[in-house]
Amino acid sequence: MAFAWFLLVFSYAYGHSFQAQNLFEQQRISRLIWGVSELQSVSPADEFRHALVEGVMPASPLLSNTVRKFPLIDRLVPRLLQDGWSHGLRQLAFYGLNLDRVKDADFDRSNLPDCAAAQSLCRSEFRLFRLNRETILIKLLPIANPPDQK
C-alpha cells in the first residue's frame, strides 16, 4: 500500500514537473526565436543554417520545490536544448527555427563580439552571436536568481 501511494505521488509530481518545464521552455523558445529573427534581420542575405548551442535550458522556477522533494525528477524531466544535443535543434524546427548542429571545435570563440555589436543580441535569458555568414552561437543563460538560493 505504501509503495502504491509513493508511486501515485511520484507520478503526479513527474506529470506536474513535465508540464511546468514544457510551458516554461515554450515561452523561452518563442523569445529565442524572436531573438534569432532579430539578429537575422541585421543581415538578411546571410541566412542562418547552422547553430552551436552552449549551456542548458534551465529548469522552470516552478520545479524548485518538486526537485527538492524528489531529486530524481530533475534528471527525468528532459530539457529541450543542451550542449551538443542535436535532438533539441530538430525540435526547434517545429517552432520554425530550422538549423543544423555544428561541432564545437570548428569555431574560435575567444573573439566574440560584445553585446553592443550589431552581430550579437544579448538578453537576460540568452546571448546570440553571429559566428560567420551561416552560423549562430546560442548561449543559454541560467535563471538569474533561483528561488531556493538567497
Side-chain angles (χ1 to χ4, degrees):
M1 183 73 162
F3 181 71
W5 178 83
F6 176 76
L7 203 56
L8 179 68
V9 170
F10 189 81
S11 64
Y12 171 76
Y14 175 75
H16 170 60
S17 300
F18 192 82
Q19 181 183 15
Q21 183 67 22
N22 190 23
L23 291 173
F24 174 76
E25 286 183 356
Q26 285 179 0
Q27 293 170 354
R28 279 199 164 212
I29 286 169
S30 66
R31 290 187 293 270
L32 178 69
I33 291 171
W34 167 84
V36 172
S37 300
E38 194 73 21
L39 191 57
Q40 178 68 57
S41 69
V42 172
S43 195
D46 300 330
E47 185 178 341
F48 291 126
R49 298 182 190 282
H50 308 287
L52 180 64
V53 177
E54 184 178 287
V56 177
M57 180 70 75
S60 168
L62 297 176
L63 299 183
S64 62
N65 190 34
T66 305
V67 170
R68 270 188 297 235
K69 289 180 182 177
F70 302 103
L72 184 61
I73 283 183
D74 194 41
R75 295 182 188 264
L76 293 177
V77 174
R79 309 282 170 81
L80 182 62
L81 289 176
Q82 297 180 23
D83 292 326
W85 195 43
S86 59
H87 175 73
L89 288 178
R90 285 195 304 269
Q91 294 301 310
L92 284 181
F94 292 124
Y95 293 93
L97 189 62
N98 194 7
L99 302 169
D100 294 325
R101 181 175 70 105
V102 293
K103 294 190 171 139
D104 195 20
D106 293 344
F107 296 97
D108 177 28
R109 289 179 282 169
S110 62
N111 56 356
L112 290 175
D114 64 348
C115 286
Q119 299 301 319
S120 65
L121 181 77
C122 299
R123 297 291 179 261
S124 62
E125 300 171 330
F126 56 82
R127 292 190 176 151
L128 305 174
F129 301 97
R130 182 183 287 272
L131 296 177
N132 61 30
R133 293 180 66 192
E134 297 182 331
T135 309
I136 186 170
L137 170 63
I138 301 170
K139 282 187 163 190
L140 300 170
L141 302 176
I143 294 176
N145 292 318
D148 60 331
Q149 297 179 357
K150 295 182 181 179

